[in-house]
Every structure is written in structure tokens, then in C-alpha cells.
Amino acid sequence: MNANQACTTENAFMDEASAPATRGWAAVFAMALCSATLVASEFMPVSLLTPIAGDLHMSEGNAGQAIAVSGLFAVITSLSISTATRGIDRRVVLLSLTVLMMVSGLMVALAPNAPVFMAGRALVGVVIGGFWSMSAATAMRLVPEAQVPQALGLLNGGNALATTVAAPLGSFLGQYIGWRGAFFCVVPLAAVTLAWLFASLPAMPSERGTAGGGTVFRVLRRRTVPLGMLASSLFFLGQFAVFTYLRPFLETVTQVGVTTLSLILLVMGGSGLLGTYLIGLLLKARLYSLLIATPVAMAAIGIATMALGTSPVAVTVLLAGWGLVGTAAPVAWWTWVSRVLPDDAEAGGGLFVAVVQMAIALGATLGGVAYDGGGYRSTFEFGALAFGAATVVTVLAWRQGNRNVAA
């Protein structure tokens, strides 16, 4: 073989090696679009409750249960999908979930009554629970190990983008094409996602990442996992105890109008997108350092926001920091799931989604109790306590992990 032939052969091998990676990243981008569409669907009712309630002859309180219903079914699905779909190619499962997202959009947009509307919302919850449960395990199979944090950052970037624009976009679309038209926009986006996933996802037999059998709770037998799950639940509990009540805080303490409020929330969302990008670059060697520093930073930002709450400029800067750190936190925790459960990431992902969803609900509830009982200070103080507890438990999880490695 001469030099030219050797070079040609080497280039051929390099092309073959890079092709799967390229297809893998194409699938990751498709999943990012899926996550953005899902999260937009999940939170769109927030800005459309009044027309939904009037059209379907419900109270606004009952219409608001559309979000609770999707959250409930997300928890149920996240705890059961790994077991229920054992033996089914993960490509088929993800494509099926995307089809369900299309069906949900059609059911909600065309709902003749409240029960059909709520059934469509329940289907969204099924897709949310299934998709996020499988996201870490799927990313681990699509890209090289060193690139998993960046892939998870991209998925959560879609999440952050949708969280930022869902409510204002829903309100804008609802004004011109009605609430049904706003929800129907999910259908073509889901169709594009389905086509993209169909073209880019490789076959992914279910045997990988589902070791051990039984329910998702089996992963709790691993010594580091219970502490990590507890730490993450405390973190998200504190985050949403405060975040849920930022609007009344900004309106009554900072005393901003609707336009300034929207601008502050947009700044938070933009900094969140930046955070999801930056943390993907830092997670390769500093996972536990970031997991420990994050709740400390969130507690400090919360306390500073409470102290400087009357200054719109200071609050905007502080909440930009909140978005930068808080939006990036799920990327770090998903990376933790992928590292502590590399052989059972689906089960770990399912349990993690359930833990986070329940922590969000509990945080919003307890934050509301604190807000009604003692005002915004009680809510911010409760959040700081939860962040402090999350820090302590994360340190314990880190030490437990080091002992396991040493053993």
C-alpha cells in the first residue's frame, strides 16, 4: 500500500467514525426542539386561562388545573415508563411520544368540552414524563461521553427558551388567532420534530440502560443515589418556593409595571440560556463543585433580592443571576444522573423527573403558605433554608461518592 492509499484509507475510517457522531448531534438538536415544544405546551395555559374558561364554561380556577393535570401524569409516567416499555426500542418509544404530543395538541385545540380538554392535557403530561425520563439515557447513547454535558445543556436550553417565551407568546397568539389557534401551533412543531427524530435517531435497543429489573425505585439501593435525589429535591423546592411568587413581589415591593415586569422576566430567561451553555463547558471536571455552589449562590441571590427589593435596577441584575444559575442547575443534576447511574440511566431519569416534579409542586405550595402567612420575606427565608439544606445534603452525597470510589 502506497502513501496515497494509506491516506485514503485513514480518511475513510475517520469519515465512518464521525458520521455516527454527526447523526447523534442531529438527534440531540431534534430532541431540543421537542423539549422546547413540550415546555411551551405545558405552560401556555398560564396566559390563556380566561378565554379557555369562558369558552369551555369552567371557572378560571378549574381551568388552571390544566397545569396540575399535566404535572400529575408526568410524575406517574416518569415512575413507570422504564418498566412499561422494557424490550421496546427507545427510538420507537421516543417517536411514539412525539406522536402523542401531536394528538394532545389536536385534542386541546379542538376540545368541545372540559373533559376532552383535560384529557389532552393529561397526554401532554405523559409525554413530558416519558421524554424527560429518557433524556439523559438517550443523550448518553447519541454522543460521546465527554460531550454528554453539552448535549444535556442543549436540551435544557430548549427548556429555558420555551419557559421564557411560552406565556407571552401564548398571550400574543391568543389575541390574534384565539386560544385554540395558539394550542394548535403545537401540532406542526410536533410534526417537524417527528420527521427530524425519524431521520436522525438510530436504533436503540432497550437492554442498555435498563439493568436490574423492577421499578425505578431500585436505583435507591445504590448508596449515593438517595442523598443525591434528596439534595436535588431540596434545591428545586427552594427554587420554586421563591420563583412562583416573583411576580407579586415585583409588583408590590419593587413596584414595576407590566412592561418592566416582562422585561425583567425576559432578562432572566436570556441569562438562563447563557447559563445552560456555560455550565456545559464546566461540568467535565467540576460536577460536585457546581452542585454545591449552586444552592449557595441561589440563597445569596434570594437574600440580596429581599434586601434590595425596592430598587428595580438591583433586582434586575440579581434576577439575571438567578436565571443564570437556576436555569443551568438541571443540566448539572442530569449530568449527575448520567454519571452515578451510567448502566441504569433510564430508571434514574424516571425517578429524578418524579422527584423534581413533586419538589416543584411542594415548593410552590409551601412558598404560597409562607407568602400568605408572613409576606414575601417568609417566602424568601423559606427558600434560603431549603437551599442551605440542599447544600449540606449535596456535600454528604459528594463524600459518600468519594468513599464508594475509595472502596
Side-chain angles (χ1 to χ4, degrees):
M1 178 182 297
N2 59 37
N4 289 335
Q5 289 174 322
C7 183
T8 301
T9 303
E10 181 180 354
N11 289 336
F13 280 126
M14 291 177 63
D15 290 341
E16 290 176 5
S18 63
T22 302
R23 288 195 297 270
W25 274 105
V28 170
F29 276 99
M31 291 180 66
L33 175 61
C34 186
S35 74
T37 306
L38 267 179
V39 174
S41 302
E42 183 179 11
F43 292 110
M44 199 178 290
V46 171
S47 58
L48 297 169
L49 285 185
T50 300
I52 291 171
D55 195 19
L56 297 179
H57 309 292
M58 296 187 290
S59 69
E60 291 187 1
N62 287 335
Q65 298 306 309
I67 293 177
V69 166
S70 62
L72 173 63
F73 276 83
V75 171
I76 294 171
T77 304
S78 65
L79 292 175
S80 60
I81 191 167
S82 178
T83 301
T85 61
R86 185 180 295 117
I88 303 176
D89 191 299
R90 288 8 233 161
R91 180 178 188 270
V92 174
V93 175
L94 286 169
L95 293 175
S96 300
L97 288 171
T98 310
V99 171
L100 280 183
M101 182 165 59
M102 294 175 60
V103 173
S104 167
L106 287 171
M107 288 180 66
V108 170
L110 304 177
N113 51 47
V116 174
F117 175 79
M118 290 299 180
R121 294 298 301 171
L123 278 185
V124 168
V126 170
V127 181
I128 291 168
F131 175 85
W132 284 110
S133 297
M134 299 174 63
S135 61
T138 304
M140 292 167 63
R141 302 174 71 170
L142 291 175
V143 300
E145 181 179 356
Q147 298 177 1
V148 169
Q150 289 95 316
L152 293 175
L154 182 62
L155 295 182
N156 281 277
N159 183 353
L161 176 63
T163 302
T164 302
V165 304
L169 182 61
S171 178
F172 175 80
L173 292 174
Q175 181 179 358
Y176 292 99
I177 59 177
W179 72 268
R180 294 180 184 274
F183 276 103
F184 185 80
C185 290
V186 171
V187 178
L189 283 174
V192 171
T193 302
L194 178 65
W196 197 351
L197 288 173
F198 183 84
S200 59
L201 278 176
M204 294 181 288
S206 67
E207 288 76 14
R208 181 178 175 180
T210 56
T215 69
V216 296
F217 296 105
R218 67 181 179 269
V219 300
L220 293 175
R221 294 195 293 263
R222 306 194 187 191
R223 296 178 65 183
T224 308
V225 173
L227 287 173
M229 292 292 178
L230 177 59
S232 64
S233 67
L234 288 168
F235 174 83
F236 289 105
L237 185 148
Q239 182 180 18
F240 281 87
V242 176
F243 177 74
T244 306
Y245 302 97
L246 276 181
R247 176 162 184 164
F249 169 81
L250 292 170
E251 289 176 334
T252 60
V253 179
T254 315
Q255 296 184 338
V256 299
V258 174
T259 301
T260 305
L261 173 67
S262 300
L263 178 61
I264 292 173
L265 295 178
L266 184 62
V267 169
M268 281 184 66
S271 63
L273 287 173
L274 177 62
T276 59
Y277 169 75
L278 294 176
I279 200 169
L281 303 177
L282 299 173
L283 281 171
K284 294 178 181 179
R286 300 182 179 276
L287 175 58
Y288 273 102
S289 297
L290 289 168
L291 290 176
I292 293 168
T294 298
V296 174
M298 296 287 278
I301 292 170
I303 293 170
T305 302
M306 181 174 59
L308 302 174
T310 57
S311 170
V313 174
V315 167
T316 300
V317 172
L318 288 166
L319 291 184
W322 179 283
L324 182 76
V325 178
T327 309
V331 183
W333 279 110
W334 274 116
T335 302
W336 173 82
V337 170
S338 71
R339 291 189 184 177
V340 300
L341 294 165
D343 59 334
D344 214 356
E346 279 190 17
L351 183 59
F352 179 69
V353 170
V355 163
V356 170
Q357 289 284 340
M358 289 187 284
I360 289 172
L362 185 60
T365 300
L366 295 179
V369 171
Y371 197 94
D372 291 341
Y376 72 92
R377 289 185 178 277
S378 295
T379 299
F380 277 82
E381 289 166 357
F382 174 76
L385 286 174
F387 287 134
T391 303
V392 172
V393 179
T394 305
V395 170
L396 294 175
W398 169 60
R399 290 180 175 176
Q400 181 69 65
N402 285 342
R403 284 197 292 267
N404 289 346
V405 172

